[in-house]
Amino acid sequence: MIRILDWLRVAPQFILPRHRLTAIVHRLARYRLNPVKNSFIRVFIAMFRVDMSLSEHRSPDDYEHFNAFFTRSIRKELRPLPGDADAICSPVDGTVSQSGLIDAGDIFQAKNRFYSLDKLLANDTELVPCFSNGCFMTLYLSPGDYHRVHMPCNGRLQCMTYVPGDLFAVNAHTVRVVKNLFTRNERVISLFDTDRGPMALIMIGAIFVGSMETVWEGVITPASRREMKTTDYPEKPFLQRGEEMGRFNMGSTVILLFPENTVQWQDDNPAGKRVIMGETIGRFIK
């Protein structure tokens, strides 16, 4: 049963102009006047307890605007990759929202809530069968987290699909309340070919996520035209495990999809567990 407190926290989102507010935040996050920008960064660091010791640049003066701070890089030596070649590493610093098996095309969202794999993948008739009985992991990035997204395993990019949609928040309260949240929200689906078959990495937009981008395409959202678009990549660029593949502005969610009988998640990945980029979250089945 959904808690009353969750409903009270989420209810305002249904009446707020979510896209308009997100556009305003997108502009403010690129404001360059130092006194204003630096004050905003310091307040944000204090409010969300951002550990700046992880960052390559630690002073607000080092960032041209808030978005540069928000998508800041971290020291590579603090995120070592596993030595096991079959290990799948976390693509982000974040929290495990859910993980498990995809049951006949249904993915677990929260208690008594499931959503459709078909809708998540924008009803792609070629892609959906690849993951119908596979496995998934949903990872939530809070505002205070590191917001670059990295490869969980080696892969060759096949195609990318931008799917326009709503911009509900993706925090725990909203996940428990809003039906089909991840199929309603704007998202970017990147399909990779790995040594063990296909892998999909899906970046989910959210309110105040003023920008999603990938290293091969640049800024994807905000889109000039909010229409679904699939881009194929005949040259199939190769990205190594741990290599940056994209980034968010403000907190959001990443969903990983693997085919049936290819991946075994770690037993110690319960919902609510904190993970860091590069940490082993599963392994390819030999």
Side-chain angles (χ1 to χ4, degrees), residues 146-205:
Y146 167 63
H147 277 82
R148 299 192 184 189
V149 183
H150 296 252
M151 292 291 289
C153 58
N154 295 343
R156 288 192 180 278
L157 179 66
Q158 304 297 303
C159 63
M160 181 191 74
T161 300
Y162 162 67
V163 184
D166 215 320
L167 288 175
F168 283 100
V170 290
N171 56 37
H173 306 291
T174 313
V175 168
R176 288 192 289 263
V177 170
V178 178
K179 294 181 180 180
N180 304 311
L181 175 62
F182 300 127
T183 64
R184 295 173 69 166
N185 272 17
E186 181 176 72
R187 54 201 180 277
V188 175
I189 304 165
S190 298
L191 178 67
F192 295 89
D193 185 30
T194 77
D195 290 339
R196 307 299 178 87
M199 182 269 291
L201 191 156
I202 305 167
M203 300 171 66
I204 307 289

Side-chain angles (χ1 to χ4, degrees), residues 259-283:
E260 184 178 12
N261 297 325
T262 57
V263 165
Q264 177 69 52
W265 298 128
Q266 297 280 91
D267 291 334
D268 59 350
N269 281 334
K273 179 190 176 184
R274 287 282 304 167
V275 293
I276 60 173
M277 194 283 288
E279 177 180 347
T280 297
I281 56 174
R283 283 180 171 80

